[in-house]
Amino acid sequence: MYARAASKIAARGYASVSSPVVSTANGIKVAALGNDSGLASLSLVVNAGSRFETAETAGAAHFLKAFGFRNTQGRTSFRTIREAELNGAMLSAEATRENIVYRVECFKEAVPYFVEVLAELATATKYAEHEFNEVARVVAFEALSARTDAATRALDGVHQAAFRSGLGNSLYAPAAAPVATGGAVAEYARRALTAGRVAVVGSGVDAQELAQLVGASKLAELPSENALASAPTAFAGGVQQLYETAAPVAHYALAFSCAPEAASTLAALLGTQRRVKWGHGGSELAQAAAQGGFAADAFSFAYSDAGLVGVLVSAPTAQLRSAVETVAATVQKHIARPSANAVQRAVAAAKVDVAEQLSLQTGAVRALGQIALGQNAATLESVEKAAGSLSKTAESVFASKPVAVSIGLSQSTPYVDTLGF
């Protein structure tokens, strides 16, 4: 059933994400997907996420994201927003551990204009000090909001425990960020915005036409040298304890190192996603959580040189220890040694999830940007490849020692070395 659903979604969307990647004269990667609607999207993808920060630039990627569509040498932010509204366009920005993405969704006829807007953003943003103060307030609020969300803190902590630096860097600027001026953001932007670290991807536009627009824009002025570097990722392993003495609900995340290509399929094997309205999920882990009265949510992350897969457990503080021990025992007994039926169910579910994501314009363009920059992107092809050795991969991954992050009273939290891994 899941396989048939995946094929239907793929038929109406972008599930193959196949597009030639074109390079401009200075090395910017350009790719695009066609569509039959009157809408288009453009994304300026900069390979300068938080993994490239150092102790001196911690939080710089967060600030650079927040400076998107601000004042440039040729346009005020007021003009940019007003003209976007007059064109019915939507502007947005996001930062991940690997990339900063500036996105425009607009009518197809407005694509040339917004290529120029993105080009000015990349080459002529002012980073003025008075504007930095406003941006700093936005960044501080976003960071505070993230730190008050237990799931966000746990997943951020998982990365820090697993990788320490690089991919272990937080997505959010620290409260006392060393980046304290517009000049500091401008310096990070100067090092980040080089042609080899930039891709322009879109939908609803021809790739060759988009490459010509990019080549004729100010993006052609971006230098070719690479001034940012990140050491190869190593899974360090570790434990983080975040105390929340007054919280009635405690949280515990277990995460395992895996190949990035297999991350999403392994998460589907954990099987905690509810797929039937009144159901709890088809896996033994989902059933154990339902019977035990706690929540267990699978997660996965795939990066260019590393992957993580795991489960976030949430339970009343007094029950957290037993809940985590139940999850650990279930993973070792059933998930690390999956039945043929469990493997079939996981592969089908992973295909549906990927096909559904790629049927949306945003998901397809995000994957295309990752592919253009040589990063890992979840596609139906990658799921098929991981499916062939899923049982063997699961045995290897879920038998390894995980990292753990806990939020709650230390007396209620089990240590990871007591869980049998």
Side-chain angles (χ1 to χ4, degrees), residues 119-136:
E120 280 205 11
L121 182 157
T123 61
T125 296
K126 288 184 175 181
Y127 306 105
E129 295 303 327
H130 73 275
E131 200 165 20
F132 174 85
N133 295 330
E134 180 181 341
V135 168

Side-chain angles (χ1 to χ4, degrees), residues 127-214:
Y127 306 105
E129 295 303 327
H130 73 275
E131 200 165 20
F132 174 85
N133 295 330
E134 180 181 341
V135 168
R137 289 192 292 270
V138 173
V139 166
F141 177 74
E142 290 177 348
L144 180 62
S145 298
R147 293 186 186 105
T148 57
D149 182 78
T152 300
R153 290 179 68 194
L155 296 181
D156 217 35
V158 159
H159 283 82
Q160 292 168 9
F163 303 121
R164 300 181 183 176
S165 59
L167 288 174
N169 294 340
S170 176
L171 287 171
Y172 305 97
V179 178
T181 65
V185 183
E187 174 59 20
Y188 188 79
R190 183 192 66 78
R191 298 172 62 209
L193 286 158
T194 57
R197 310 191 72 86
V198 171
V200 178
V201 296
S203 65
V205 59
D206 180 76
Q208 294 293 340
E209 292 178 4
L210 183 57
Q212 291 175 4
L213 290 171
V214 170

Side-chain angles (χ1 to χ4, degrees), residues 67-88:
F67 258 104
F69 305 105
R70 298 277 178 168
N71 292 333
T72 68
Q73 300 294 337
R75 288 179 172 87
T76 64
S77 58
F78 175 81
R79 175 185 168 186
T80 299
I81 299 305
R82 182 175 182 275
E83 292 180 349
E85 290 175 340
L86 291 174
N87 279 284

Side-chain angles (χ1 to χ4, degrees), residues 23-323:
S23 292
T24 63
N26 63 336
I28 294 174
K29 302 297 188 293
V30 181
L33 299 166
N35 64 38
D36 296 327
S37 77
L39 299 177
S41 75
L42 295 169
S43 291
L44 176 71
V45 186
V46 186
N47 182 213
S50 61
R51 73 172 296 172
F52 299 101
E53 296 171 354
T54 64
E56 293 74 26
T57 60
H62 193 179
F63 277 96
L64 187 56
K65 183 269 293 186
F67 258 104
F69 305 105
R70 298 277 178 168
N71 292 333
T72 68
Q73 300 294 337
R75 288 179 172 87
T76 64
S77 58
F78 175 81
R79 175 185 168 186
T80 299
I81 299 305
R82 182 175 182 275
E83 292 180 349
E85 290 175 340
L86 291 174
N87 279 284
M90 291 184 289
L91 312 178
S92 61
E94 69 171 336
T96 69
R97 284 182 162 77
E98 294 202 297
N99 301 323
I100 302 170
V101 183
Y102 306 99
R103 184 178 298 110
V104 178
E105 296 176 62
C106 61
F107 290 109
K108 288 182 176 180
E109 56 267 25
V111 164
Y113 170 76
F114 285 108
V115 168
E116 292 297 332
V117 170
L118 291 173
E120 280 205 11
L121 182 157
T123 61
T125 296
K126 288 184 175 181
Y127 306 105
E129 295 303 327
H130 73 275
E131 200 165 20
F132 174 85
N133 295 330
E134 180 181 341
V135 168
R137 289 192 292 270
V138 173
V139 166
F141 177 74
E142 290 177 348
L144 180 62
S145 298
R147 293 186 186 105
T148 57
D149 182 78
T152 300
R153 290 179 68 194
L155 296 181
D156 217 35
V158 159
H159 283 82
Q160 292 168 9
F163 303 121
R164 300 181 183 176
S165 59
L167 288 174
N169 294 340
S170 176
L171 287 171
Y172 305 97
V179 178
T181 65
V185 183
E187 174 59 20
Y188 188 79
R190 183 192 66 78
R191 298 172 62 209
L193 286 158
T194 57
R197 310 191 72 86
V198 171
V200 178
V201 296
S203 65
V205 59
D206 180 76
Q208 294 293 340
E209 292 178 4
L210 183 57
Q212 291 175 4
L213 290 171
V214 170
S217 73
K218 291 183 178 180
L219 288 169
E221 301 173 5
L222 289 179
S224 299
E225 68 268 15
N226 184 4
L228 279 184
S230 176
T233 298
F235 185 80
V239 178
Q240 278 202 353
Q241 177 84 39
L242 306 175
Y243 299 102
E244 294 285 356
T245 57
V249 177
H251 309 271
Y252 196 100
L254 283 170
F256 303 81
S257 175
C258 67
E261 300 85 357
S264 62
T265 312
L266 287 169
L269 185 62
L270 287 167
T272 61
Q273 184 176 351
R274 180 180 296 181
R275 296 182 180 276
V276 180
K277 183 175 181 180
W278 303 114
H280 302 290
S283 73
E284 288 82 358
L285 181 57
Q287 293 171 23
Q291 293 169 6
F294 60 87
D297 298 301
F299 59 82
S300 65
F301 298 93
Y303 300 106
S304 56
D305 57 353
L308 281 178
V309 61
V311 58
L312 175 62
V313 182
S314 301
T317 298
Q319 300 175 24
L320 181 65
R321 181 183 296 275
S322 63

